Amino acid sequence: EQILRYPLGWEHRGGQGKRIRPLMVPVSAGAAGADWRCALPSAAAVELLHNFSLIHDDIEDGSPLRRGQETVWKKWGVPLAINAGDAMFTLSFAALERMSETVSPAAALRSTQVLARTSLHLTCGQHLDISSERGRIIDMDAYWSMIAGKTAALLSACMRLGAITAGADGEQEHLLGRFGADLGMAFQAWDDWLGIWGDPAETGKSTESDLVAG
């Protein structure tokens, strides 16, 4: 249990992110006309899925620190970290099961489909990221495809899950999802620009934005 609480920031406040992704779900639901509280199961699912991806990304990248503290694999070892990430992934879908208490069965099923497809997009984006590290240059088409999976896909899902909670029609869901995707693309591109050319001392930022790491 402690291993799962640790990356969520429940054991140490320094490990907390900004919670931007789960916040986007009820915001989207409210914008589409629903009681934001009905979207809380989806918000929890998104945060758990995000942390699953961070645990596994840190293993694959060999990153020793995340949010100013040791990463899960660095603190407990790779085998336990892999297991913790797998558990977090499973818990994200377990949290989403509670959507059946706040929305129609059709909306609950649609939410599960969105989260499942987003999980695949996340892993595809990570695959492209790992593959790109083999060379010094990545072309723009490959770059946009990579960040579409690593960052934009989950932000798009946040907005779409909120829309689904509100019973929005297909066009509303698409437009809100597109907003989330565009936001993710913009923030990731800006973060990468800072990581290459920015001066952390001048910008007051680390090389990883709060949105991406939070």
Side-chain angles (χ1 to χ4, degrees), residues 52-53 57 60 89 117-130 149-150:
F52 140 73
S53 72
D57 287 359
E60 292 160 350
F89 178 82
R117 291 173 184 171
T118 301
S119 302
L120 182 59
H121 290 156
L122 287 173
T123 57
C124 288
Q126 179 67 359
H127 168 77
L128 292 173
D129 188 22
I130 294 172
K150 279 187 66 68

Side-chain angles (χ1 to χ4, degrees), residues 82-143:
I82 292 173
N83 195 58
D86 292 346
M88 199 81 77
F89 178 82
T90 304
L91 286 170
S92 69
F93 283 89
L96 200 61
E97 288 179 358
R98 298 195 64 179
M99 285 297 292
S100 61
E101 301 174 9
T102 60
V103 300
S104 68
L109 175 60
R110 174 68 178 152
S111 298
T112 302
Q113 293 171 335
V114 168
L115 196 70
R117 291 173 184 171
T118 301
S119 302
L120 182 59
H121 290 156
L122 287 173
T123 57
C124 288
Q126 179 67 359
H127 168 77
L128 292 173
D129 188 22
I130 294 172
S131 298
S132 70
E133 294 174 358
R134 298 174 183 172
R136 294 179 60 85
I137 299 175
I138 179 173
D139 64 66
M140 289 305 299
D141 288 341
Y143 172 75

